[in-house]
Amino acid sequence: MKILSVNAGSSSLKFQMYEMPEEKVLISGVFERIGINNSLYTIKFNGEKISKNADLPSHKEAVKILVDELINYKVIHSLNEIKGIGHRIVQGADKFERSVVIDEEVTKTISELSSLAPLHNPAAVIGIKAFKEIIPEALAVAVFDTSFHQTMSEETYLYALPYNWYTDYQVRKYGAHGTSHKYVANRLSEIINKKDCKVIVCHLGNGGSITAVRNGKCVDTSMGFTPNAGIIMGTRCGDIDVSIVPYMMKKTNLTAEQLDNVINKQSGLLGISGVSSDSRDIEDGIKQGNERCILAQKMFIRKVVDYIAKYYVLLNGADAIAFTAGIGENSIDIRKEIIEKLAVLGIKLDVEKNNVRGKEQLITTADSKVPCYVIPTDEEVMIARDTYELIGK
Ligand code: ADP
């Protein structure tokens, strides 16, 4: 059965087509600069990558081209072979505890949640509508980044703010990257061969979050009401003293919107280093002795270690820890420094094994009290799995 896993952004559309239940990727690609000039798309098929220019005034044209290309590459012969389309949705708030079949009501709710994810939810709705128009027969499924975190307890997800901010304005912790955390936590459980286990997942990408998982359920996560909470990220500040915001608004006359832009787009690794938001550039800066790059990386590592330590205590120990996403999968130095700072927990790095990028691997010694793994994340397959499961129902 053929299923599409889709991630629609405001000007982009990523897709991956699976043969299910084998979970075989048949074709994948991305449409970029939709609604802007110089639109293009890239397709990966049979180990080859091809980019083409195209006129993409809206997502609908992208979906039309996608369908033509699927037929052109003989991945499908007719549209009715596509049985399901799984859409990645960033914010489901407390409305969706699991993935659901999309109907008008669901689309409306996703749209209504746009104030909590102004960049992402409207784009997802555009994607849903475009696919519905071009491939109406396929079952559309919504897979939410927030669903996995819905198992957090009230004392965990509430902020110590006036209670009516929660009841009247939905201010609470929702978390993000849930699909990735769920995939990696499941994988860890399979690898250590223990169904009921306590694991800590470190999703360290340009955006980053850390999650404590017990028996497959999220207990706590570092992102909050928005993704700008928790660890330091590429351009986001993560946890700060919130009173800095009104203080700086008064000092600099910046508006709320401008301040929001600073804490989301000009802070984090970029803000401290003054060089880049990309950890590879920071590592290059460190090699050249750039003091601010050294500082930015130290601060990043410190914050990750803080969260691992906090969740280790929260879970009353851990059976395994995983590193995933761009930095987690690829940065040998950052993983090394994080793990070395966890020595007090009896965690011991295996320097040789840690010399790995983008590959599933144990990176601690046999006598390490907690095994640590690199696990490449796969949000797309999770979306395809949930879609396949809902088709079965
Ligand atoms: P997002 O999905 O949040 O945009 P990614 O998971 O792609 O982010 O992660 C991006 C980060 O991963 C960047 O900081 C980048 O430097 C880092 N990264 C990617 N590849 C490598 C690599 N080979 N070595 C070190 N860091 C890497």
Side-chain angles (χ1 to χ4, degrees):
M1 181 190 295
K2 294 189 174 59
I3 285 176
L4 264 175
S5 178
V6 171
N7 185 353
S10 54
S11 65
S12 70
L13 182 73
K14 289 191 198 135
F15 70 91
Q16 199 137 315
M17 177 166 259
Y18 288 89
E19 182 66 52
M20 296 299 279
E22 297 84 351
E23 299 186 350
K24 183 174 177 232
V25 178
L26 302 173
I27 190 166
S28 66
V30 58
F31 290 80
E32 291 171 276
R33 303 182 60 86
I34 300 171
I36 319 175
N37 55 355
N38 301 328
S39 315
L40 74 160
Y41 64 96
T42 307
I43 287 189
K44 274 200 226 165
F45 181 69
N46 263 348
E48 270 186 52
K49 201 166 155 181
I50 300 149
S51 283
K52 289 183 193 170
N53 295 318
D55 195 21
L56 302 173
S58 78
H59 287 67
K60 206 172 126 186
E61 285 74 21
V63 179
K64 273 189 197 153
I65 294 177
L66 167 57
V67 166
D68 290 344
E69 289 287 19
L70 292 176
I71 292 173
N72 180 26
Y73 279 97
K74 299 192 170 56
V75 179
I76 56 167
H77 301 284
S78 72
L79 267 192
N80 57 19
E81 283 175 55
I82 305 172
K83 298 296 179 203
I85 298 164
H87 295 267
R88 179 199 179 191
I89 314 289
V90 164
Q91 183 57 271
D94 51 4
K95 307 284 182 239
F96 300 99
E97 285 177 12
R98 56 184 63 81
S99 303
V100 294
V101 173
I102 300 174
D103 57 17
E104 265 181 38
E105 195 58 34
V106 169
T107 311
K108 192 167 152 251
T109 309
I110 294 170
S111 197
E112 282 166 1
L113 292 171
S114 291
S115 65
L116 299 176
L119 293 180
H120 295 101
N121 276 30
V125 171
I126 291 171
I128 290 169
K129 289 184 176 162
F131 276 96
K132 193 79 211 159
E133 226 178 298
I134 314 280
I135 318 176
E137 297 303 316
L139 189 82
V141 168
V143 180
F144 301 89
D145 271 9
T146 44
S147 292
F148 183 60
H149 303 305
Q150 279 298 302
T151 48
M152 285 186 291
S153 66
E154 203 177 23
E155 69 191 70
T156 305
Y157 68 66
L158 280 184
Y159 294 109
L161 291 164
Y163 193 77
N164 78 305
W165 284 26
Y166 165 54
T167 50
D168 296 348
Y169 302 102
Q170 298 83 48
V171 174
R172 52 155 284 181
K173 183 191 275 214
Y174 295 112
H177 297 141
T179 310
S180 170
H181 285 289
K182 187 176 174 184
Y183 172 83
V184 176
N186 284 352
R187 240 347 257 144
L188 268 182
S189 164
E190 282 169 8
I191 293 170
I192 63 171
N193 200 13
K194 196 169 174 191
K195 194 161 181 292
D196 292 337
C197 57
K198 301 179 285 191
V199 300
I200 299 169
V201 178
C202 307
H203 178 113
L204 311 178
N206 185 32
S209 63
I210 303 188
T211 297
V213 184
R214 185 189 290 121
N215 304 342
K217 292 196 166 63
C218 169
V219 180
D220 198 358
T221 191
S222 63
M223 279 181 169
F225 175 62
T226 72
N228 199 355
I231 63 172
I232 292 170
M233 298 169 234
T235 59
R236 295 189 194 118
C237 58
D239 296 338
I240 58 163
D241 177 341
V242 292
S243 299
I244 294 167
V245 173
Y247 171 81
M248 284 308 291
M249 284 174 78
K250 281 189 207 135
K251 283 281 177 195
T252 60
N253 287 326
L254 289 180
T255 62
E257 208 166 294
Q258 289 166 327
L259 226 306
D260 193 52
N261 186 55
V262 175
I263 59 175
N264 277 292
K265 304 237 169 83
Q266 298 169 36
S267 299
L269 294 178
L270 173 66
I272 294 296
S273 71
V275 169
S276 171
S277 61
D278 191 299
S279 70
R280 287 167 288 199
D281 299 336
I282 303 289
E283 287 186 16
D284 287 345
I286 292 171
K287 281 185 202 127
Q288 288 154 18
N290 182 314
E291 294 291 338
R292 299 240 312 261
C293 287
I294 296 170
L295 178 63
Q297 181 144 314
K298 267 192 189 157
M299 288 171 67
F300 175 84
I301 289 164
R302 166 81 183 272
K303 208 70 197 175
V304 173
V305 171
D306 282 354
Y307 267 96
I308 296 175
K310 179 169 141 152
Y311 289 163
Y312 186 87
V313 173
L314 177 71
L315 292 171
N316 197 17
D319 294 304
I321 298 173
F323 294 90
T324 193
I327 298 172
E329 291 169 29
N330 295 297
S331 178
I332 294 164
D333 285 351
I334 292 179
R335 284 196 310 255
K336 174 174 175 283
E337 301 221 7
I338 292 169
I339 292 177
E340 283 177 353
K341 287 194 167 42
L342 297 169
V344 69
L345 302 179
I347 299 177
K348 291 184 204 163
L349 183 78
D350 185 320
V351 178
E352 282 297 305
K353 285 187 180 154
N354 184 45
N355 211 354
V356 66
R357 292 185 203 272
K359 209 178 104 202
E360 203 169 279
Q361 185 152 303
L362 174 71
I363 54 171
T364 41
T365 58
D367 65 341
S368 174
K369 192 167 166 214
V370 184
C372 298
Y373 293 86
V374 170
I375 300 187
T377 193
D378 195 343
E379 290 158 291
E380 292 76 19
V381 82
M382 292 300 275
I383 294 172
R385 276 181 202 169
D386 280 7
T387 306
Y388 179 71
E389 205 183 300
L390 283 166
I391 290 172
K393 284 180 183 166

